Amino acid sequence: MLALLFLFLTSLPGIVLARQILPAGRLTAQIGIAMVVGLMLQLWLPLITSALFGIDVGPWLALVAMVLIIGIGISKKMPLLPEWRRPENRPNKSVLVIFLALWGLIGWLFYTHNLRSTAEGLSSAGISWEDQSFHAMLAAGFLWSDNLRALEYPHFQGWPLGYPFLSDLLPATLVKLGATLGQAFWWSAWYAATAFVLLFLALARQWIGGGMRGMVALLLFLTASGLGFVDFIREAWGGLEWPEVLIRHDYANGWELGLHYHNPLVGVLLPMRTSLFGMPVVMALLLLTQDLLDPRKSSRAGWWLVGVLVGLLPLIHAHSLLVIAVLAAVLLPFHWRTLPWRQALPAVGLALVLAAPQILWTKSQMEISEPFIRWHPGWMFGGSTPGEWVAYWWKNGGLRLPLGLLCWVWASPELRRQTLPLLIWLLLANLVAFQPFAYDNIKLLIFADMALVLLIVQRLAGWWPRGPATRIAIVALAILLSASGILSIARELRLQSLIVSWEGVAFAETVRAQSQPRDIFLTGSELTHPVPVLTGRPLVLGYTGWLGQHGVPLGTRPDDVRAMYAGGENAAALLKKYQVRHVVIGPAERREFPILNEGYFASLATVIFTVGDYSLYSLPEMSARN
């Protein structure tokens, strides 16, 4: 209950700010922005308190600080709650019912896609199991391996953690306040998703009109996808039962089908935790800046809030910071003469002061042999001719790309100007790779998806009153736009992926009990290995896929790890070089290293702990080793 209380209390100060900045009658926007302010407090306050006083004390101090802040606000009779009874704040009943059903579905999806207890062990679901293992490792490192002090990649000891890690510090905070690790990931993700949904609806109300228009746009965004449903129909037509066909592929996100432009919900929001936390901040900034760029609505408090939100983004989601930079570059020429510079410039300065240390820290991750950001035309397109390129994007983008761009041409000048900074990512993401793993440009393309569906719904809503035939055509078009995404979501609801078995959980508990937080471990590189996932202990080398995606150079470590497990002539020198204190031999190591020499480590070990098929060999201190 204390963990949930912390999430609730952090939102209350934001309501005060939102009511001061936004005009009355915009309840959805006020609550959404309040939740984004809450996100900032949830992510940054525990970082400050835990960095100063340690992870065991920091979360409690953060909770006490929030209680004091709310107590002071109540004592000064600050308006902590919005005016619920305003007529303009009363929701359309149909929209409210759809929202609650959607909110429940999203909550269930995040429950199944984060660490949860099943009969076999700790599990995730569908597409999220790989990312969940990575985020659990980072949270475990903060919880049990003192990694907030070291700030290294747990699975590559010695390399600075340039990854935006705050969304993984939050679950560690909630665990210290009484939640399980699975609950901590679930609750915090559901909170961020709720903020995003509310802000999407608020932005839709500003850009294309509220009520059902915004809800339809949200549903089309969450189910946006390409033409993968054609492959589903083809395989089902071949005689297979449809449940078998549904499980065989993800028809919105299947690389084996040439589908890379993923469904936003399944392909980005569920697995990519940093995107989930960064996107509500971008939505809040889009809402705020639209008001603040109007001299009649501009306020100093609003600009200060914008400066804080932008300045605190780098360690939450670097891709969102890129989106904001492009937003500013595109909109500034339109508002150069009317911009309230005296209010805006101090906010820009504040954003730079807050962001600069974070960017300098993450710069260390980019200092690799190959450019971190580089010219990479074509994104994931693997063909060579213009015709193949058109076919690739026709399959990946489906109708939403040509239809959305056509609707942009038809849109009002104001809507074209509002959506242009988001649509421009369709071009930039096809020319430049903004991470070593070019596929991660999907985190930028998702913002273009938001603009496309808003443009499409705005145009279709104008056609809706034309009569029954037009309405049937619009419904059919909506089905074509969302069919692959619906298939993808339906598949996710049927899948379960084991991350760590209960035997692995018990072994991880033994590791935490029988080793020190900064002891270095030699393990295999399996991505769901219980030691990194549930202890966060520093490894010589863990799952190399994560490292490659983040641009971390592996050097000779893969060969060195194999040599150590082989127990050859140079094994002792390598163990000393990497200061290995513990060696794990379990199912993953036996699969990965056929030449594994278990007897060699048994001869070196001072203590051997065994849990089922797992053995932990504790070696002598480095100073005592030959």
Side-chain angles (χ1 to χ4, degrees):
M1 294 305 296
L2 289 176
L4 289 172
L5 178 64
F6 177 70
L7 294 176
F8 172 73
L9 289 178
T10 53
S11 299
L12 296 183
I15 293 178
V16 177
L17 286 172
R19 290 199 61 201
Q20 291 176 349
I21 295 167
L22 296 177
R26 295 173 62 182
L27 181 60
T28 303
Q30 289 176 349
I31 297 175
I33 289 175
M35 294 186 74
V36 166
V37 173
L39 276 180
M40 290 302 185
L41 288 169
Q42 293 162 22
L43 297 170
W44 278 96
L45 185 58
L47 173 65
I48 295 169
T49 56
S50 298
L52 292 174
F53 301 101
I55 191 68
D56 291 325
V57 177
W60 294 97
L61 292 177
L63 177 61
V64 170
M66 289 310 309
V67 171
L68 291 175
I69 291 170
I70 301 305
I72 293 171
I74 292 174
S75 68
K76 293 188 175 183
K77 298 181 180 180
M78 294 176 67
L80 293 179
L81 295 176
E83 299 173 14
W84 299 94
R85 297 184 179 180
R86 282 183 160 292
E88 59 267 40
N89 285 334
R90 294 173 185 170
N92 177 292
K93 290 184 180 179
S94 299
V95 172
L96 181 60
V97 169
I98 297 172
F99 171 81
L100 291 175
L102 179 63
W103 184 69
L105 173 63
I106 290 173
W108 174 256
L109 283 168
F110 277 109
Y111 168 69
T112 58
H113 283 66
N114 288 287
L115 284 176
R116 65 186 178 106
S117 298
T118 61
E120 294 80 15
L122 296 179
S123 299
S124 180
I127 199 171
S128 295
W129 67 283
E130 180 176 353
D131 293 78
Q132 179 59 67
S133 301
F134 173 76
H135 293 298
M137 176 189 68
L138 291 185
F142 297 133
L143 273 169
W144 297 299
S145 294
D146 201 17
N147 199 36
L148 189 56
R149 178 178 59 85
L151 277 182
E152 298 175 344
Y153 277 96
H155 55 315
F156 198 78
Q157 187 273 330
W159 192 267
L161 183 59
Y163 184 82
F165 62 84
L166 288 186
S167 63
D168 295 314
L169 178 61
L170 177 56
T173 298
L174 298 181
V175 169
K176 288 297 182 181
L177 294 177
T180 66
L181 191 58
Q183 289 170 341
F185 274 106
W186 174 33
W187 293 342
S188 57
W190 198 5
Y191 180 102
T194 302
F196 171 77
V197 166
L198 289 171
L199 288 166
F200 187 102
L201 292 173
L203 190 69
R205 180 179 181 181
Q206 270 193 232
W207 286 8
I208 65 171
M212 192 58 73
R213 286 190 182 192
M215 183 56 68
V216 170
L218 176 62
L219 292 173
L220 285 180
F221 170 75
L222 293 177
T223 57
S225 47
L227 301 181
F229 69 88
V230 175
D231 293 295
F232 174 81
I233 294 172
R234 184 184 298 115
E235 296 201 8
W237 196 267
L240 295 175
E241 296 292 329
W242 77 263
E244 182 182 348
V245 178
L246 181 66
I247 296 297
R248 175 176 289 192
H249 301 290
D250 186 329
Y251 292 96
N253 312 295
W255 285 27
E256 71 280 7
L257 300 176
L259 296 168
H260 305 110
Y261 192 10
H262 284 192
N263 165 252
L265 176 59
V266 174
V268 179
L269 293 176
L270 283 174
M272 299 182 182
R273 188 170 173 84
T274 53
S275 292
L276 176 65
F277 278 74
M279 291 179 67
V281 182
V282 173
M283 303 297 284
L285 289 167
L286 286 169
L287 279 166
L288 289 169
T289 52
Q290 182 166 336
D291 276 4
L292 296 172
L293 289 171
D294 184 342
R296 297 167 298 176
K297 300 178 182 178
S298 182
S299 68
R300 193 173 300 276
W303 281 108
W304 281 114
L305 179 57
V306 166
V308 170
L309 293 180
V310 174
L312 297 182
L313 257 179
L315 287 182
I316 299 173
H317 189 219
H319 292 81
S320 289
L321 187 64
L322 287 172
V323 172
I324 295 304
V326 169
L327 174 73
V330 173
L331 291 184
L332 188 58
F334 294 104
H335 300 275
W336 182 265
R337 294 184 178 180
T338 59
L339 188 68
W341 290 101
R342 289 185 178 181
Q343 295 175 339
L345 282 179
V348 173
L350 176 62
L352 293 174
V353 168
L354 292 174
Q358 303 168 65
I359 294 172
L360 289 174
W361 168 254
T362 57
K363 183 177 180 292
S364 63
Q365 183 183 338
M366 300 185 185
E367 294 174 347
I368 56 179
S369 56
E370 296 184 4
F372 195 92
I373 298 176
R374 65 198 186 280
W375 180 255
H376 188 81
W379 188 44
M380 300 295 288
F381 171 60
S384 57
T385 67
E388 290 175 324
W389 183 83
V390 171
Y392 172 82
W393 274 108
W394 172 240
K395 182 170 185 176
N396 274 267
L399 290 174
R400 76 185 188 276
L401 274 181
L403 183 58
L405 294 175
L406 190 59
C407 289
W408 183 81
V409 175
W410 287 336
S412 66
E414 183 181 6
L415 186 57
R416 287 205 302 268
R417 184 169 59 251
Q418 290 165 338
T419 53
L420 180 60
L422 302 180
L423 290 176
I424 202 170
W425 286 106
L426 290 171
L427 175 64
L428 293 178
N430 269 279
L431 296 177
V432 179
F434 291 90
Q435 254 187 251
F437 188 35
Y439 163 74
D440 279 331
N441 278 2
I442 191 70
K443 300 174 184 178
L444 299 165
L445 288 165
I446 192 173
F447 291 99
D449 269 332
M450 288 192 289
L452 290 169
V453 297
L454 288 170
L455 288 161
I456 291 171
V457 170
Q458 192 270 345
R459 175 54 56 179
L460 295 183
W463 289 341
W464 186 258
R466 292 186 176 182
T470 302
R471 293 179 182 181
I472 292 172
I474 289 173
V475 171
L477 180 60
I479 292 172
L480 293 176
L481 287 167
S482 59
S484 301
I486 292 171
L487 290 172
S488 178
I489 295 168
R491 180 177 184 269
E492 289 293 304
L493 291 169
R494 300 169 64 91
L495 295 179
Q496 176 177 303
S497 303
L498 179 66
I499 293 182
V500 180
S501 68
W502 289 120
E503 184 177 273
V505 172
F507 179 69
E509 292 171 349
T510 300
V511 167
R512 294 202 298 263
Q514 302 299 333
S515 63
Q516 297 301 310
R518 300 310 301 165
D519 285 351
I520 298 173
F521 278 69
L522 181 67
T523 70
S525 61
E526 189 172 86
L527 78 151
T528 57
H529 199 292
V531 172
V533 171
L534 295 179
T535 75
R537 292 291 196 260
L539 308 183
V540 176
L541 182 66
Y543 179 56
T544 57
W546 293 329
L547 295 166
Q549 291 173 18
H550 298 162
V552 179
L554 301 183
T556 63
R557 287 204 194 188
D559 293 333
D560 292 346
V561 168
R562 282 191 291 271
M564 283 185 276
Y565 270 111
E569 294 181 359
N570 61 340
L574 290 170
L575 289 167
K576 184 175 182 179
K577 172 185 175 182
Y578 291 107
Q579 298 182 311
V580 175
R581 187 70 180 87
H582 304 277
V583 178
V584 175
I585 296 181
E589 288 74 24
R590 294 185 180 99
R591 285 192 297 268
E592 186 174 350
F593 306 107
I595 57 174
L596 187 151
N597 188 345
E598 195 163 351
Y600 174 74
F601 296 106
S603 68
L604 294 178
T606 56
V607 182
I608 303 175
F609 299 97
T610 301
V611 177
D613 290 335
Y614 293 90
S615 296
L616 177 65
Y617 294 85
S618 298
L619 307 183
E621 294 289 344
M622 301 309 302
S623 58
R625 196 179 300 158
N626 293 329

